[in-house]
């Protein structure tokens, strides 16, 4: 099911295939590297449509991202997608990084504006000589090489968006600039995802929008992350998790069950697939697949 250079997510999804994909982050040390590759080996049998590798704030993990994605391209059957952000880079540096990806055999890129080092709610200050919007990076990648391009989407709106409609217009502009699909930030209500899809379709844009899934294994951590990116953890979900307080095994199982229920609603409602934020571990994702009765 893996895609190669000539075919992308849009074709696969329009053929009626469901896309299952996984996201990893660049490891910080040897132990992290071993954990990452164990997760990759555990998840490869599920034949993901692609696996993405994130990019540290301000380009801090650029070399590791390039190294990991190129190793995935060389040593596995999976299609690697490298993240790239505008933060901290001049136009020339971004062109060089795109050329490095091509040389490494990486032809799928997730083009993002990226967050300021102070976080996604901080005021955006473009790098001198750099780009200001993800749309500009999409245009650059589209014109620079044979890239298949993904972008970010925000079911509850980006923290800096004036409104949900304006946020959808930004995603539409990315599609028209050359992006062929989008992956959403994590969210916990299927209606938020389907609302975003409807707003984009109202503009006549049919780009596939993959829902991003992060199971709640630690309520405090997920709330902190949610506050940063503008994602709300609904009261009913908090209550379900909190009811297991004091029993970490039961709390984790409830978090997996909630994620599995969300995935079922999304797929039943017509979502073209699922994108899992793995945090470089495979167990939670595999447990959600078991919930969905998806086997290798």
């Amino acid at each position: 099911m893996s895609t190669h250079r000539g075919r992308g997510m849009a074709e696969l999804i329009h053929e009626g295939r469901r896309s299952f994909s996984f996201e990893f982050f660049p490891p910080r040390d040897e132990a992290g590297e071993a954990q990452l590759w164990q997760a990759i080996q555990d998840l490869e049998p599920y034949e993901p449509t692609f696996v993405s590798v994130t990019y540290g704030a301000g380009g801090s993990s650029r070399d590791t991202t390039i190294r990991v994605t190129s190793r995935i391209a060389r040593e596995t059957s999976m299609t690697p997608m490298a993240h790239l952000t505008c933060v901290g880079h001049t136009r020339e540096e971004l062109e060089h990084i795109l050329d490095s990806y091509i040389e490494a055999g990486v032809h799928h890129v997730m083009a993002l504006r990226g967050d300021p080092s102070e976080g996604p709610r901080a005021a955006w200050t473009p790098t001198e000589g750099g780009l200001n919007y993800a749309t500009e990076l999409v245009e650059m990648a589209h014109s620079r090489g044979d890239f298949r391009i993904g972008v970010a989407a925000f079911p509850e709106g980006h923290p800096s968006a004036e409104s949900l409609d304006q946020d959808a217009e930004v995603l539409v502009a990315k599609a028209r600039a050359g992006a062929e699909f989008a992956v959403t930030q994590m969210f916990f209500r299927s209606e938020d995802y389907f609302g975003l899809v409807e707003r984009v379709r109202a503009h006549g844009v049919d780009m596939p929008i993959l829902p991003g899934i992060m199971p709640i294994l630690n309520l405090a951590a997920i709330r902190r992350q949610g506050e940063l990116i503008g994602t709300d953890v609904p009261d009913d979900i908090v209550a379900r998790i909190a009811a297991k307080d004091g029993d970490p095994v039961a709390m984790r199982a409830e978090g997996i069950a909630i994620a599995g229920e969300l995935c079922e609603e999304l797929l039943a409602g017509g979502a073209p697939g699922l994108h899992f934020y793995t945090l470089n571990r495979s167990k939670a994702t595999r447990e959600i697949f078991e919930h969905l009765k998806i086997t290798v």
Side-chain angles (χ1 to χ4, degrees), residues 212-263:
I213 306 299
M214 185 182 290
I216 300 174
L217 305 180
N218 180 316
L219 186 56
I222 214 90
R223 273 179 152 164
R224 284 196 300 273
Q225 177 77 359
E227 286 168 6
L228 276 175
I229 65 174
T231 295
D232 178 43
V233 184
D235 290 343
D236 60 323
I237 288 180
V238 172
R240 283 180 62 178
I241 297 287
K244 309 295 183 183
D245 194 23
D247 185 342
V249 173
M251 184 177 281
R252 187 182 191 284
E254 192 68 15
I256 296 293
I258 290 168
E261 291 161 18
L262 175 61
C263 291

Side-chain angles (χ1 to χ4, degrees), residues 6-84:
R7 299 174 73 229
M9 306 318 129
E11 287 98 329
L12 285 171
I13 290 164
H14 287 312
E15 287 170 8
R17 300 194 194 186
R18 280 181 172 164
S19 172
F20 295 110
S21 52
F22 311 121
E23 184 162 302
F24 305 106
F25 61 80
R28 296 178 181 86
D29 53 34
E30 286 187 19
E33 186 103 6
Q35 178 181 300
L36 166 66
W37 284 97
Q38 185 61 56
I40 287 173
Q41 290 167 6
D42 290 345
L43 292 170
E44 184 173 10
Y46 290 93
E47 299 185 334
T49 314
F50 67 93
V51 294
S52 64
V53 182
T54 61
Y55 197 81
S60 57
S61 65
R62 178 182 75 180
D63 293 343
T64 311
T65 299
I66 294 172
R67 178 172 58 78
V68 171
T69 50
S70 61
R71 184 178 169 189
I72 291 171
R74 285 195 318 271
E75 298 182 17
T76 78
S77 62
M78 301 187 290
T79 297
M81 173 167 285
H83 286 218
L84 183 57

Side-chain angles (χ1 to χ4, degrees), residues 47 132 164 194:
E47 299 185 334
N132 208 10
L164 291 177
F194 290 119

Side-chain angles (χ1 to χ4, degrees), residues 90-238:
T90 63
R91 182 178 291 272
E92 289 73 21
E93 286 172 335
L94 290 166
E95 290 172 343
H96 173 72
I97 295 165
L98 287 167
D99 291 346
S100 298
Y101 284 149
I102 293 172
E103 290 166 14
V106 176
H107 299 278
H108 291 70
V109 66
M110 183 71 66
L112 311 164
R113 189 199 70 176
D115 297 324
S117 56
E118 302 82 12
R121 292 185 177 277
W124 169 254
T125 304
T127 301
E128 187 174 345
L131 305 180
N132 208 10
Y133 300 105
T135 307
E136 296 173 300
L137 185 54
V138 171
E139 290 169 346
M140 176 186 287
H142 193 58
S143 64
R144 187 105 190 136
D146 182 21
F147 285 107
R148 315 309 296 250
I149 303 165
V151 292
F154 304 88
E156 296 170 71
H158 189 276
S160 66
E162 296 171 9
S163 67
L164 291 177
D165 287 335
Q166 189 260 341
D167 188 74
E169 288 167 6
V170 172
L171 184 52
V172 166
K174 294 177 193 177
R176 291 178 174 153
E180 72 167 47
F181 76 104
V183 175
T184 78
Q185 290 275 22
M186 69 172 185
F187 62 95
F188 301 103
R189 289 178 295 250
S190 61
E191 56 264 34
D192 290 332
Y193 167 80
F194 290 119
L196 170 65
V197 173
E198 287 176 13
R199 290 189 294 276
V200 171
R201 299 290 178 262
H203 286 274
V205 170
D206 68 349
M207 74 155 24
I209 300 174
L210 297 173
I213 306 299
M214 185 182 290
I216 300 174
L217 305 180
N218 180 316
L219 186 56
I222 214 90
R223 273 179 152 164
R224 284 196 300 273
Q225 177 77 359
E227 286 168 6
L228 276 175
I229 65 174
T231 295
D232 178 43
V233 184
D235 290 343
D236 60 323
I237 288 180
V238 172

